[in-house]
Amino acid sequence: MSSPLVGEYQGFDVTVDGGIAEIILRRPDRLNALSIPARRDLVEVLSACQLDAAVRVVVLTATGRGFCAGMWLGPRDEDERPTLVPDLPGGHRAPVDLAAQLRTHSQELARTIRRLDKVTIAAVNGFAVQIGLSMALACDYVVAARSATLGSATLRMGYQPDEGGHWLLVEHLGVKGALDFLLRKRMVGAAEAQALGLVTEVVDDDDLPQRSRELAAELAAGPQVAMRLLKRAVYNAAHQTLDQAGDDIAVRTAVSDFHTDAVEGSRAWLRKQTPTFNRWLEEPTDGS
């Protein structure tokens, strides 16, 4: 199944193969720090991944020594404009304008990643700082190269983690752990990040591309309807009572139990065979 998302965008490329959309940041000269145009294109592409039947798993990775070293604060190249949306006027006339930009643009990338019900993997190849850290933590899996370094470090310049990083760190570390991480401007290697619960898996640098694709292929082969519903149920459960979480997953199960993947899974289990899920994704549609 082909995908219209394949191509070059502002600061990154997209490939789609075997149900896996790989988004590859390609500004190694900036350690892949993200300009506003790049962030806006990323939001649009990630939103489209949600609706693209050719995409089952999204992998975020990068070229060079940096996964993403934060937001780009330097001058913009002459040809640096968003690919998919109109450009924004520059400058902030008042603090209220900056606050609105932070809510609508800076924070939207992490929110968009987390809103996807398709599985997301961050393959962290180097520095993941500020918005780079938030991109990684918003993903469901973080596979890090052994040489990777993760941190917020915004206070080093007197800035706030205004892209949503504080919330994501509280989610992973708790209040006191997030305060310690942020106020002490901590930068941690991959092994320590895994011990803290920020990273799912650490691999040798040379093995990162293969391992992230292996994990993506494994997840892409699973029953997508049940997995997507379960992902949302797990994130919801973190903020619900037991009764609320029970109601939520009961409704989702009522959908997935009647799906063709569940029929296939039950049949294969009874026959001691390996199920072949997701045939429904290969069926032609009427475009509706």
Side-chain angles (χ1 to χ4, degrees):
M1 182 182 298
S2 62
S3 169
L5 296 178
V6 173
E8 298 181 1
Y9 301 87
Q10 185 56 254
F12 63 95
D13 300 331
V14 177
T15 65
V16 180
D17 183 46
I20 302 164
E22 193 169 34
I23 299 174
I24 309 160
L25 303 183
R26 53 169 173 79
R27 288 302 304 259
D29 55 312
R30 300 177 175 179
L31 294 178
N32 295 304
L34 293 174
S35 64
I36 290 177
R39 297 200 303 270
R40 297 184 73 206
D41 269 8
L42 271 171
V43 167
E44 292 298 317
V45 167
L46 287 163
S47 298
C49 283
Q50 177 65 63
L51 302 175
D52 190 342
V55 176
R56 304 180 192 180
V57 177
V58 177
V59 178
L60 285 162
T61 191
T63 57
R65 298 185 301 111
F67 173 70
C68 174
M71 296 182 184
W72 177 245
L73 302 177
R76 182 191 288 192
D77 295 343
E78 287 186 9
D79 62 346
E80 192 166 2
R81 298 288 184 272
T83 308
L84 299 171
V85 290
D87 204 358
L88 291 173
H92 310 297
R93 296 185 60 186
V96 69
D97 294 329
L98 175 58
Q101 177 174 308
L102 294 173
R103 289 195 310 271
T104 56
H105 296 299
S106 297
Q107 298 170 7
E108 191 61 20
L109 180 54
R111 276 198 295 262
T112 300
I113 294 170
R114 183 53 67 85
R115 284 174 184 151
L116 293 176
D117 63 20
K118 298 179 180 182
V119 176
T120 54
I121 300 170
V124 178
N125 56 300
F127 291 98
V129 181
Q130 200 246 357
I131 199 169
L133 175 66
S134 294
M135 286 170 58
L137 296 185
C139 288
D140 308 313
Y141 290 84
V142 180
V143 182
R146 207 167 298 279
S147 65
T149 301
L150 294 85
S152 177
T154 51
L155 284 181
R156 294 184 180 193
M157 295 178 286
Y159 292 154
Q160 302 272 1
D162 49 56
E163 80 294 338
H166 67 304
W167 188 94
L168 290 160
L169 282 166
V170 170
E171 178 186 57
H172 285 78
L173 302 178
V175 171
K176 291 188 181 301
L179 279 172
D180 179 70
F181 196 90
L182 291 166
L183 295 180
R184 295 175 62 199
K185 305 175 286 291
R186 294 186 63 191
M187 301 287 290
V188 299
E192 186 176 357
Q194 184 179 30
L196 288 170
L198 303 177
V199 164
T200 312
E201 185 176 344
V202 177
V203 299
D204 290 338
D205 290 24
D206 292 342
D207 295 335
L208 180 65
Q210 179 179 347
R211 176 56 192 143
S212 60
R213 290 176 188 133
E214 287 175 350
L215 177 59
E218 174 190 339
L219 294 164
Q224 294 301 297
V225 168
M227 289 172 65
R228 290 166 62 177
L229 292 171
L230 178 58
K231 171 180 169 173
R232 291 262 53 88
V234 169
Y235 280 116
N236 288 347
H239 309 284
Q240 292 174 328
T241 66
L242 177 59
D243 285 344
Q244 289 169 334
D247 286 344
D248 184 37
I249 202 163
V251 173
R252 296 172 188 276
T253 301
V255 174
S256 59
D257 274 10
F258 284 91
H259 193 267
T260 55
D261 279 345
V263 175
E264 166 65 11
S266 299
R267 180 201 64 79
W269 184 81
L270 290 171
R271 298 181 182 180
K272 296 182 172 56
Q273 298 173 338
T274 301
T276 303
F277 295 121
N278 305 314
R279 288 193 179 101
W280 61 278
L281 283 171
E282 306 300 330
E283 296 172 355
T285 67
D286 60 5
S288 60

